[in-house]
């Protein structure tokens, strides 16, 4: 099974490293426009093989899409990362043209591929990729919810002082500092609602910390995070390639689900060999429904900036 990652920066390279180390794919291709950059990252990862025991073939290419032919999954991380004080929304004009061009190029050589979008603003870039390519909606997936949910579980773990892997929790809505919705009501620790252990005040702080999780790291690092985003992409790719049918919050095209239409937004999905195999309709309370509608309005308003690009 072959995975192409377009964009060999921190997120793309981390994703390639995790996929290789875990043996998720038999072949990984890194592609970048910077001369020698992807080749160098691929060689560095390959030199880990004897010490970490993986057999994945990892290669890098400079802007040669023919080397990506036959990819089962293509991950798009291309675009500029956030800088301190910059919102994901401010990246629209810069990254839209990049994502559209990349999506069209990969399909020339891998017409049956499933595309995973990482570039920000992710919901809008996912929508752009869908509309620009005309692919079926199950084959275009934005990964933001997987990352946001992992951050949510991390903050719950810290608050509970319990292992994150024992915690089940999900973030839906837009992948933005003000649009994501950590579902504190449904979060659980080994099947027991976390509200049995944490006060409402603590839960609200956990939710608030989750929502600015990316911005917090950008402020500390001076650029976007990469370890957790790269691992989140690999987790999603694993469910696709190995038909694991995991329930993962992803940004996907909705047609009436949760009362919304004609946008890509984070909802619980079953992810398998066909990409998005099912959108799960979970019972939200009135407050959560209102938050989701508000989030959808914000995502839809960002999509308006794509009108000239999609003409």
């Amino acid at each position: 099974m072959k995975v192409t990652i377009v964009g060999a920066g921190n997120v793309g390279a981390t994703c390639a490293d995790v996929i290789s180390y875990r043996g998720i794919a038999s072949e990984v291709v890194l592609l970048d426009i910077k001369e020698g950059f992807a080749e160098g990252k691929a060689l560095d990862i390959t030199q880990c093989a004897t010490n970490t025991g993986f057999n994945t073939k990892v290669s890098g290419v400079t802007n040669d899409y023919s080397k990506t032919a036959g990819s089962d999954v293509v991950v798009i991380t291309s675009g500029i990362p956030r800088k301190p004080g910059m919102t994901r929304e401010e990246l629209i004009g810069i990254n839209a043209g990049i994502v559209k061009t990349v999506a069209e190029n990969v399909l020339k050589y891998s017409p049956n591929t499933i595309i995973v979008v990482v570039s920000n603003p992710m919901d809008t870039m996912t929508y752009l990729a869908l509309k620009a390519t005309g692919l079926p909606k199950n084959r275009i997936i934005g990964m933001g919810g997987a990352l946001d949910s992992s951050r949510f579980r991390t903050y719950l773990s810290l608050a509970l002082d319990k292992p994150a892997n024992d915690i089940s929790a999900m973030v839906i809505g837009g992948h933005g500092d003000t649009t994501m919705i950590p579902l504190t009501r449904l979060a659980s620790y080994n099947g027991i609602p976390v509200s049995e252990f944490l006060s409402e005040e603590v839960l609200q702080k956990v939710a608030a910390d989750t929502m600015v999780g990316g911005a917090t790291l950008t402020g500390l690092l001076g650029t976007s995070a990469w370890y957790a985003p790269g691992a989140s992409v690999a987790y999603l790719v694993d469910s696709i390639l190995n038909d694991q049918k995991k329930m993962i919050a992803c940004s996907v095209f909705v047609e009436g689900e949760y009362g919304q239409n004609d946008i890509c937004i984070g909802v619980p999905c079953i992810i398998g060999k066909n990409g998005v195999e099912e959108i799960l309709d979970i019972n939200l309370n009135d407050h959560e429904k209102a938050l989701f509608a508000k989030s959808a309005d914000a995502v839809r308003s960002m999509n308006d900036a794509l009108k000239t690009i999609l003409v």
Side-chain angles (χ1 to χ4, degrees):
M1 291 178 285
K2 182 175 179 178
V3 176
T4 286
I5 301 168
V6 183
N10 288 332
V11 174
T14 300
C15 178
D17 186 47
V18 175
I19 288 174
S20 302
Y21 178 72
R22 292 184 55 202
I24 292 170
S26 56
E27 182 178 0
V28 174
V29 177
L30 273 169
L31 183 148
D32 204 278
I33 61 171
K34 184 178 179 181
E35 186 71 36
F37 191 59
E39 290 89 338
K41 291 289 184 76
L43 181 58
D44 195 13
I45 293 170
T46 298
Q47 289 172 353
C48 297
T50 56
N51 293 322
T52 56
F54 69 79
N55 296 305
T56 302
K57 177 185 176 183
V58 185
S59 60
V61 295
T62 301
N63 217 31
D64 182 0
Y65 283 88
S66 68
K67 302 297 184 183
T68 71
S71 294
D72 298 286
V73 176
V74 173
V75 178
I76 302 177
T77 73
S78 306
I80 66 166
R82 282 205 292 175
K83 295 178 174 61
M86 178 183 284
T87 65
R88 293 181 177 93
E89 291 77 9
E90 290 174 311
L91 300 176
I92 291 177
I94 301 169
N95 287 348
I98 297 172
V99 170
K100 182 174 183 288
T101 300
V102 168
E104 291 170 345
N105 281 330
V106 297
L107 286 173
K108 292 177 184 176
Y109 298 96
S110 302
N112 299 314
T113 195
I114 292 170
I115 294 177
V116 175
V117 179
V118 182
S119 308
N120 276 317
M122 192 217 62
D123 300 292
T124 300
M125 294 301 102
T126 304
Y127 182 81
L128 169 68
L130 179 74
K131 293 296 183 178
T133 62
L135 288 179
K137 63 180 183 178
N138 63 296
R139 289 173 53 195
I140 302 284
I141 308 171
M143 79 90 198
L147 172 60
D148 297 333
S149 297
S150 77
R151 287 174 171 159
F152 185 25
R153 291 172 65 192
T154 297
Y155 285 118
L156 284 169
S157 170
L158 293 172
L160 289 163
D161 193 25
K162 298 293 188 297
N165 286 331
D166 284 350
I167 296 167
S168 178
M170 181 178 292
V171 175
I172 61 172
H175 180 58
D177 301 345
T178 60
T179 56
M180 67 179 74
I181 306 163
L183 294 173
T184 55
R185 180 178 64 88
L186 300 179
S188 63
Y189 165 58
N190 277 336
I192 303 171
V194 295
S195 57
E196 295 286 327
F197 308 98
L198 301 174
S199 68
E200 182 61 26
E201 182 181 2
V202 171
L203 284 173
Q204 290 307 310
K205 184 180 186 307
V206 166
D209 288 343
T210 299
M211 293 175 72
V212 297
T216 299
L217 286 163
T218 300
L220 292 169
L221 297 168
T223 186
S224 296
W226 59 89
Y227 293 122
S232 296
V233 179
Y235 179 76
L236 179 57
V237 170
D238 193 11
S239 193
I240 296 169
L241 291 183
N242 294 298
D243 196 25
Q244 293 174 338
K245 303 193 187 306
K246 291 176 179 173
M247 182 174 68
I248 306 174
C250 298
S251 183
V252 298
F253 190 71
V254 291
E255 295 178 292
E257 295 91 351
Y258 295 90
Q260 301 300 324
N261 284 283
D262 196 34
I263 57 170
C264 291
I265 192 168
V267 291
C269 300
I270 300 300
I271 302 296
K273 64 181 179 181
N274 298 310
V276 182
E277 302 203 343
E278 184 182 357
I279 295 176
L280 299 178
D281 186 8
I282 59 175
N283 292 320
L284 302 180
N285 62 28
D286 289 342
H287 176 63
E288 292 158 350
K289 288 177 181 177
L291 289 175
F292 193 86
K294 183 179 178 181
S295 178
D297 287 343
V299 170
R300 190 173 286 106
S301 68
M302 285 193 292
N303 291 350
D304 290 342
L306 298 175
K307 289 179 179 177
T308 57
I309 297 169
L310 290 170
V311 171

